[in-house]
Amino acid sequence: FCLDSSMLGALPRSAVRGVRAVATEAYSHGHIPAVVSQHAARTLENSMAFVIPHLHPGMRVLDVGCGPGSITLGVADRVAPGEVVGVDSVDEIIEQAQSLAADRGASVHFKVDNTYSLSYPDDSFDVVMAHQVLQHLSDPVGALREMRRVCRPGALIAVRDADYESMLAYPSHPGIDAWRSLVRKNYLANNHNGDAGRYVRAWFREAGFAAEDLQFTVHAVSYSSDEEERRRAWGEAWRTRTLESNLARQALERGLATQQELHDMAAAWAEWAANPEGVFYYMNGQVLARASK
């Protein structure tokens, strides 16, 4: 698809912003199985628990950046017989979400859509959610404004994003330290913010939300031998992702790392995964916002 810049003059300003963002947005992770399997392990309970008390039967909910749909289906269980919609930008991922919904007999609508220009009219939803999405956007403030547009008066927007600088491993390892540095540099090269968790409240304020309409909390995610299978899966997935995902391709293309450096980082993850004493944790910033109109 090729869009001539002269074509943008006939579009509304909001549409121009959306078109430009979609045309230039790069995804730091990609969709290899090691990435998607990690995303599919997310549930409403382990990833967006702070919104659960606000979900009620009959609500209409939009999950922005739904990925393979594992969180979205949990929402559907809570708000049935209400309507739940999950949107993402990639056909393949939406197809996987649709397949998961079919396997579980869930009535959820998944579709490809544009975060900056959602295909829904104003005042459409009671809750809009976005899990680990803003970190992948060059205009997170614009995305929040669009989420508010499709909210009914008094509706809730629930957002959670990680802070990559907070990601720490025990035992400490220079390879994992180098990995963390590389991931953050690659986010910046994509015009994104890998430390989004600490910024989410400020982005809501910049998007026009009043301070009294925001509730900011922090949630830690950890991996240890308390859940050994989950811990090892995390380390093995990052070993693979460091060598095969968009991170590896983009880092090599940009000169952010050499192939040997990537292998050293992957080896560090393998060593961590094989050590039952290994611990890894990081922080997430969470915002619940009331969409006052």
Side-chain angles (χ1 to χ4, degrees):
F1 174 74
C2 180
L3 183 71
D4 189 280
S5 61
S6 64
M7 297 168 63
L8 297 177
L11 296 174
R13 183 175 300 176
S14 60
V16 170
R17 182 188 66 236
V19 168
R20 282 178 173 154
V22 168
T24 59
E25 211 80 83
Y27 187 36
S28 297
H29 299 319
H31 297 98
I32 66 170
V35 174
V36 177
S37 65
Q38 283 187 321
H39 293 176
R42 297 167 175 169
T43 66
L44 178 64
E45 290 74 19
N46 69 26
S47 296
M48 290 288 281
F50 69 103
V51 77
I52 290 176
H54 305 279
L55 298 175
H56 306 292
M59 281 184 159
R60 192 176 193 220
V61 181
L62 175 66
D63 186 5
V64 177
C66 64
S70 53
I71 294 175
T72 324
L73 296 186
V75 174
D77 291 339
R78 300 273 179 169
V79 304
E83 180 185 3
V84 178
V85 179
V87 299
D88 209 292
S89 61
V90 179
D91 290 292
E92 176 187 357
I93 293 301
I94 288 298
E95 290 170 3
Q96 291 187 40
Q98 291 169 337
S99 177
L100 181 63
D103 290 345
R104 297 189 184 179
S107 179
V108 179
H109 181 53
F110 291 103
K111 62 177 289 186
V112 173
D113 211 341
N114 180 349
T115 304
Y116 298 104
S117 183
L118 296 164
S119 58
Y120 293 93
D122 296 357
D123 307 335
S124 291
F125 295 96
D126 300 300
V127 177
V128 176
M129 301 168 44
H131 179 264
Q132 310 296 356
V133 172
L134 298 185
Q135 63 188 266
H136 298 295
L137 302 179
S138 55
D139 184 13
V141 174
L144 289 173
R145 290 175 178 146
E146 179 65 0
M147 292 179 204
R148 182 171 62 177
R149 181 189 67 77
V150 300
C151 279
R152 293 167 177 162
L156 283 177
I157 299 177
V159 166
R160 168 162 144 158
D161 266 275
D163 187 326
Y164 269 83
E165 192 178 26
S166 73
M167 295 190 177
L168 297 172
Y170 172 85
S172 59
H173 195 296
I176 293 181
D177 291 343
W179 163 86
R180 181 179 58 249
S181 176
L182 173 63
V183 171
R184 296 176 70 230
K185 289 176 182 177
N186 196 54
Y187 267 97
L188 289 175
N190 284 329
N191 196 28
H192 302 155
N193 192 332
D195 302 333
R198 72 185 72 173
Y199 290 89
V200 287
R201 186 185 183 280
W203 288 339
F204 270 92
R205 293 288 287 130
E206 189 176 346
F209 289 80
E212 59 267 25
D213 289 334
L214 303 178
Q215 179 184 346
F216 175 78
T217 55
V218 174
H219 183 266
V221 172
S222 63
Y223 297 86
S224 70
S225 59
D226 293 347
E227 298 178 87
E228 178 61 13
E229 184 177 348
R230 173 174 170 269
R231 188 196 69 81
R232 287 182 65 93
W234 176 260
E236 290 297 332
W238 270 114
R239 179 193 65 80
T240 300
R241 291 175 64 170
T242 301
L243 294 175
E244 300 177 14
S245 71
N246 279 10
L247 171 64
R249 178 180 58 80
Q250 293 170 359
L252 290 171
E253 289 174 352
R254 293 164 173 161
L256 297 177
T258 66
Q259 191 68 61
Q260 184 58 55
E261 287 169 336
L262 291 176
H263 277 286
D264 291 345
M265 295 174 205
W269 272 114
E271 181 180 332
W272 179 87
N275 181 357
E277 299 304 318
V279 172
F280 188 86
Y281 65 82
Y282 64 93
M283 308 305 292
N284 293 274
Q286 305 176 152
V287 170
L288 268 176
R290 185 69 63 181
S292 302
K293 296 279 185 170

